[in-house]
């Protein structure tokens, strides 16, 4: 029994957004079941038709979300005056941001349950991302390399973020942006991979692919997470999962709950040094437009911020700045075939002066007419456009060089990680072991099998073995060895810290003494 698609409450302004259970899209080992496939299909279809979907939580998670909403409301209402705003870029009243791994100062505080909510919503966001990848005929873990490690390593701050937002008054005709983002024309666009939003009352509109705004969280409750996709996911999927535009409802006033509307939004973000690349999409057989080139996420975010700043400066400045920002993309659109996306390395000039290449050139020849000016070309021979071909080849060469650079960068990063793992495992307390680079001391296995050692002892060494010599018979886990005591033939298991190498000079001296005693006839 499964609840895959259930319509929201009847409303002329609300669309039927799919509702899927988190338990149905949770990744697992083995072949996918029927419930999982149906849930993945319903989720992806809803994202394609409405740019949103709803994920239903289990009872335990719903109780946690309700506690988090109450804690966030109390925290934000008691610390921010309803008629004041905080200064600074991107900060408005009623906003609290939480990142896992960030050190909290003694004078700072946070709403309760934030750490656990961050973990639960992060797990749900990763499950939704896996479901999206599955529907695109990709491996479920294809985007995992873009995300933070789980669990998060020590002394590292998460790239993803949990935002608590509280609106104590009306939306003021849409002037307040959701969860403290920058104002944008006709709503905001999500920037990360996916975002999950939990709220205690409706009030968020999403724009569907047809340009129609609708109230997406009509049946909002602590057990529901509204799922929307972001710009980063749109880039790595070559536009197959476009970013969603959202805004505060212009006609909705949060008076259904005393004190306003509270929401929690979890943004699943790639790491700053992650490379947004469409290679998996191309490997799956999807067509990749030429403007989807590999780019680091940090550069990707800088470009988005520059575009937003240009929009905030006004139409004239936005047009001037936007021309500079989109120069590279406009150049690619001119130098590429609009049908196949391939560069015009075979560009030809027809009789009217326009140039075409690739599949568009084939269509023009079949029609015997220019598709731009409708001039009949007849049987006039075509002339190669060498200048356009050279420009297309140069841009293609630059893209290939950038791709190779990003691949080499990722390879170097992987090699650095592989080199640091053995160093972290080294034990700094071993005075006899040394790493080749001389910067770190302490290896867990400084001795080899059949090597003769001296038992110097430590807290774990039995007194009767201290000061004796032994031979290593086998190597155990975590720096332990199995030894045979010379003379008594006893077997004992000791740690490498309690052993000491017998130098060659000492061994040779002992052999010479034994030989001298045998020659004198002494026992």
């Amino acid at each position: 029994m499964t609840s895959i698609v259930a319509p929201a409450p009847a409303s002329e302004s609300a669309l039927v957004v799919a509702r899927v259970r988190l338990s149905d899209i949770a990744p697992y080992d083995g072949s996918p079941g029927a419930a999982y496939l149906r849930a993945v299909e319903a989720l992806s279809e809803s994202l394609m038709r409405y740019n949103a979907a709803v994920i239903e939580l289990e009872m335990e998670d719903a109780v946690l979300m309700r506690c988090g909403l109450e804690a966030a409301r109390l925290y934000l209402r008691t610390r921010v005056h309803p008629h004041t705003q905080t200064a600074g870029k991107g900060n408005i009243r009623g906003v609290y941001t939480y990142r896992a791994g960030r050190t909290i100062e003694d004078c700072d505080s946070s709403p309760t349950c934030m750490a656990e909510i961050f973990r639960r919503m992060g797990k749900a966001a990763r499950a939704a991302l896996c479901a999206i990848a599955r529907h695109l005929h990709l491996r479920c873990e294809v985007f995992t390399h873009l995300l933070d490690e789980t669990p998060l390593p020590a002394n590292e701050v998460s790239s993803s973020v949990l935002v608590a937002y509280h609106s104590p008054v009306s939306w003021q005709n849409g002037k307040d942006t959701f969860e403290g983002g920058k104002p944008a024309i006709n709503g905001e666009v999500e920037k990360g991979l996916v975002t999950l939003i939990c709220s205690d009352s409706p009030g968020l509109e999403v724009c569907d692919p047809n340009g129609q705004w609708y109230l997406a969280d009509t049946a909002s409750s602590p057990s529901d997470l509204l799922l929307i996709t972001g710009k980063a996911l749109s880039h790595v999927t070559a536009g197959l999962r476009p970013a969603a535009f959202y805004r505060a409802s212009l006609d909705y006033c949060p008076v259904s709950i005393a004190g306003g509307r509270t929401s929690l939004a979890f943004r699943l973000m790639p790491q700053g040094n992650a490379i947004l690349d469409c290679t998996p999409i191309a490997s799956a057989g999807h067509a990749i437009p030429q403007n989807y080139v590999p780019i680091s996420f940090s550069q990707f975010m800088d470009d988005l911020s520059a575009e937003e700043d240009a929009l905030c400066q006004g139409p004239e400045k936005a047009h001037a700045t936007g021309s500079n920002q989109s120069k590279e993309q406009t150049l690619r659109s001119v130098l590429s075939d609009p049908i196949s996306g391939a560069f015009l390395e075979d560009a030809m000039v027809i009789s009217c002066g326009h140039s075409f290449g690739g599949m568009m050139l084939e269509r023009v020849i079949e029609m015997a007419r220019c598709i731009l000016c409708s001039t009949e070309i007849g049987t006039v021979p075509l002339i190669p456009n060498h200048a356009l071909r050279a420009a297309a080849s140069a841009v293609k060469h630059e893209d290939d060089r950038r791709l190779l650079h990003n691949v080499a960068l990722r390879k170097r990063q992987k090699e650095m990680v592989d080199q640091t793992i053995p160093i972290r495992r080294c034990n700094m307390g071993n005075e006899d072991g040394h790493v080749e680079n001389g910067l770190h001391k302490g290896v867990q296995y400084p001795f080899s099998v059949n090597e003769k050692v001296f038992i110097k002892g430590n807290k774990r060494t039995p007194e009767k073995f201290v000061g004796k010599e032994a031979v290593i018979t086998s190597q155990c886990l975590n720096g332990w060895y199995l030894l045979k005591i010379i003379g008594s033939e006893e077997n004992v298991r000791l740690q490498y810290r309690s052993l000491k190498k017998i130098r060659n000079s000492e061994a040779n001296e002992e052999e010479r003494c034994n030989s001298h005693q045998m020659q004198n006839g002494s026992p």
Side-chain angles (χ1 to χ4, degrees):
M1 185 174 180
T2 176
S3 61
I4 300 300
V5 181
S11 174
E12 295 181 357
S13 62
L15 300 180
V16 183
V17 178
R19 303 175 64 87
V20 299
R21 291 177 177 174
L22 177 58
S23 58
D24 288 340
I25 62 172
Y28 56 89
D29 296 332
S31 59
Y36 177 79
L37 295 177
R38 288 195 301 267
V40 168
E41 184 67 26
L43 179 70
S44 301
E45 182 180 357
S46 182
L47 291 176
M48 288 188 295
R49 297 181 62 184
Y50 310 120
N51 286 335
V54 175
I55 297 179
E56 296 180 348
L57 300 176
E58 300 295 334
M59 182 62 67
E60 181 181 355
D61 292 338
V63 172
L64 177 65
M65 300 305 297
R66 183 178 291 106
C67 294
L69 290 170
E70 292 289 343
R73 182 188 301 109
L74 179 62
Y75 176 87
L76 296 173
R77 288 182 63 185
T78 56
R79 283 164 176 76
V80 182
H81 192 274
H83 299 293
T84 61
Q85 293 184 356
T86 57
K89 184 178 180 181
N91 293 328
I92 70 169
R93 62 184 179 200
V95 176
Y96 174 81
T97 302
Y98 174 85
R99 291 182 184 272
R102 184 182 63 183
T103 304
I104 299 179
E105 303 295 338
D106 295 337
C107 59
D108 192 12
S109 61
S110 65
T112 58
C113 309
M114 289 296 106
E116 185 62 20
I117 290 177
F118 184 95
R119 188 182 69 83
R120 299 285 182 93
M121 294 187 76
K123 183 178 179 180
R126 288 171 179 258
L129 190 64
C130 291
I132 293 173
R134 172 78 186 189
H135 189 263
L136 295 176
H137 306 291
L138 306 174
R139 293 180 294 104
C140 291
E141 66 279 4
V142 68
F143 301 128
T144 304
H145 69 281
L146 302 175
L147 306 176
D148 294 325
E149 299 179 24
T150 52
L152 195 67
N155 301 323
E156 289 192 15
V157 180
S158 65
S159 302
S160 302
V161 59
L162 175 64
V163 179
Y165 178 78
H166 177 68
S167 177
V169 292
S170 67
W171 292 107
Q172 298 179 356
N173 296 326
K175 294 182 181 179
D176 282 351
T177 56
F178 184 71
E179 37 175 314
K182 293 181 180 180
I185 299 176
N186 295 328
E188 295 185 55
V189 62
E190 186 51 48
K191 302 177 182 62
L193 293 169
V194 296
T195 295
L196 295 177
I197 303 170
C198 179
S199 57
D200 54 12
S201 62
L204 188 66
E205 292 183 348
V206 175
C207 185
D208 67 10
N210 297 323
Q212 300 296 323
W213 290 91
Y214 68 97
L215 193 62
D217 55 353
T218 306
S220 180
S221 69
S223 62
D224 295 334
L225 299 179
L226 180 66
L227 170 67
I228 56 177
T229 52
K231 276 283 191 179
L233 182 63
S234 176
H235 190 90
V236 296
T237 59
L240 295 178
R241 287 295 174 270
F245 282 86
Y246 60 91
R247 69 184 182 189
S249 178
L250 302 180
D251 302 323
Y252 182 78
C253 180
V255 296
S256 57
I257 293 183
R261 180 178 186 271
T262 306
S263 58
L264 298 171
F266 179 86
R267 286 171 168 158
L268 185 64
M269 309 289 285
Q271 301 179 68
N273 59 353
I275 303 299
L276 304 182
D277 191 4
C278 300
T279 301
I281 295 293
S283 302
H286 300 285
I288 308 298
Q290 291 294 332
N291 58 315
Y292 288 95
V293 296
I295 184 175
S296 67
F297 182 65
S298 57
Q299 182 62 45
F300 182 78
M301 291 294 290
D302 291 342
D303 294 343
L304 291 181
S305 298
E307 293 177 6
E308 288 184 350
D309 292 340
L311 289 175
C312 295
Q313 291 174 357
E316 296 181 357
K317 293 183 179 179
H319 176 73
T321 308
S323 299
N324 296 330
Q325 293 291 333
S326 60
K327 185 179 297 183
E328 186 178 9
Q329 181 176 354
T330 303
L331 181 62
R332 284 192 177 85
S333 64
V334 172
L335 299 178
S336 59
D337 180 15
I339 297 180
S340 63
F343 281 108
L344 299 180
E345 296 180 288
D346 59 344
M348 306 289 289
V349 181
I350 60 178
S351 58
C352 64
H354 291 113
S355 298
F356 300 96
M359 299 180 65
M360 185 61 72
L361 178 62
E362 297 177 2
R363 179 175 297 183
V364 170
I365 295 176
E366 292 176 359
M367 296 173 56
R369 184 182 298 273
C370 177
I371 62 173
L372 297 179
C373 62
S374 300
T375 302
E376 294 184 1
I377 61 175
T379 58
V380 179
L382 304 179
I383 302 174
N385 190 334
H386 295 291
L388 190 59
R389 291 183 178 186
S393 299
V395 175
K396 181 181 179 182
H397 176 73
E398 181 65 20
D399 284 351
D400 294 340
R401 185 193 64 79
R402 183 182 302 176
L403 179 60
L404 292 175
H405 172 74
N406 291 332
V407 171
L409 179 62
R410 294 172 62 179
K411 183 178 179 181
R412 287 197 299 270
Q413 292 174 348
K414 185 178 183 300
E415 291 176 351
M416 292 177 61
V417 172
D418 293 341
Q419 291 175 1
T420 56
I421 290 177
I423 296 177
R424 291 179 180 177
R425 292 178 178 174
C426 290
N427 193 314
M428 301 297 293
N430 183 22
E431 59 184 8
D432 295 323
H434 298 273
V435 180
E436 292 182 359
N437 58 13
L439 298 178
H440 298 274
K441 294 182 179 180
V443 292
Q444 292 189 356
Y445 298 104
F447 310 107
S448 59
V449 179
N450 296 327
E451 184 176 359
K452 192 175 180 181
V453 294
F454 176 78
I455 303 177
K456 62 180 181 179
N458 61 6
K459 292 195 238 179
R460 301 183 181 180
T461 307
E463 253 338 290
K464 65 177 182 178
F465 297 124
V466 177
K468 295 187 177 182
E469 297 179 355
V471 176
I472 297 177
T473 57
S474 64
Q475 178 178 290
C476 305
L477 296 176
N478 300 325
W480 289 77
Y481 292 95
L482 189 63
L483 304 94
K484 179 176 287 187
I485 305 299
I486 297 178
S488 63
E489 300 296 326
E490 294 181 80
N491 293 322
V492 61
R493 183 171 174 269
L494 299 176
Q495 194 183 28
Y496 74 96
R497 292 174 179 270
S498 63
L499 306 178
K500 181 180 179 181
K501 289 185 178 180
I502 298 179
R503 298 179 182 178
N504 293 334
S505 59
E506 296 178 357
N508 294 336
E509 182 66 25
E510 182 180 355
E511 290 179 0
R512 285 196 298 269
C513 292
N514 293 337
S515 177
H516 181 70
Q517 291 176 359
M518 293 178 62
Q519 291 176 2
N520 293 335
S522 58

